[in-house]
Amino acid sequence: MTMSPSGSVPLDPRNGFGVTALVLGIIAVIFSFIPLVGIVSFFVGGLAVIFGIIGLTRKNRAKGLSVAGLILGAVGIIIAGIVTATTAAFVSSVDEEMNKEATVVYKATSENNATVMFGATSGTSNEDFKGKWEQETTVTGWDATSLIVTSGDYTTSQKVSCEIIIDGESVAKQSGTDNVSRTADTISK
């Protein structure tokens, strides 16, 4: 046994509550950095704080481990709160982006008869046209779009073009002879 700082009552260096608080505090800090699993840190960190407080109130016991456990438990709770809030904000923004509506405009031109094939992952359509052609649709969330223009007259060459516009921004455009195609997606536009 060691003497207390005042020299009157000997201190017992053993403090089971302090050791428990320290171990739980270390576990809380380690788990607090792991998204989703870090939720455990709220419970374990809370226990570390409780055991740390109990260890501090014990008379004639060393207080160092109790203080360390109490601090680590509180730090684990704070870090877990920050990581959980950041994870929730990230998931929310991804969910919002994945469910956002986008307006897709398909445009094509040809000098003579041509066929256009257009669509997204939900399905495609074909139409014959001559001159200028345009189609507008709305998609929800991430979607891959495609536009193919093929000459309808294989006996002579003709200039054709295609363009995909997503939410008013031209994201894919091509001009050529007889056949052109472009693809785009609604997220990376």
Side-chain angles (χ1 to χ4, degrees), residues 60-71:
N60 302 326
R61 300 288 178 153
K63 309 288 187 212
L65 295 177
S66 297
V67 170
L70 191 143
I71 291 171

Side-chain angles (χ1 to χ4, degrees), residues 23-41:
V23 170
L24 291 174
I26 291 169
I27 292 169
V29 168
I30 290 171
F31 279 105
S32 69
F33 289 100
I34 305 170
L36 302 177
V37 175
I39 293 173
V40 169
S41 292

Side-chain angles (χ1 to χ4, degrees), residues 69-154:
L70 191 143
I71 291 171
L72 286 173
V75 167
I77 291 170
I78 292 168
I79 293 171
I82 292 169
V83 170
T84 301
T86 303
T87 302
F90 174 75
V91 168
S92 177
S93 75
V94 168
D95 183 55
E96 183 180 304
E97 188 67 30
M98 293 303 292
N99 291 312
K100 185 173 86 173
E101 283 193 348
T103 301
V104 179
V105 177
Y106 302 98
K107 289 185 174 184
T109 62
S110 70
E111 294 177 323
N112 294 310
N113 293 332
T115 300
V116 63
M117 184 170 82
F118 64 98
T121 54
S122 56
T124 59
S125 298
N126 293 328
E127 290 184 19
D128 294 327
F129 76 102
K130 182 178 181 179
K132 291 185 177 185
W133 173 90
E134 185 174 311
Q135 179 73 36
E136 183 176 312
T137 185
T138 302
V139 296
T140 301
W142 179 87
D143 211 339
T145 61
S146 65
L147 178 59
I148 301 169
V149 180
T150 306
S151 172
D153 181 6
Y154 293 105

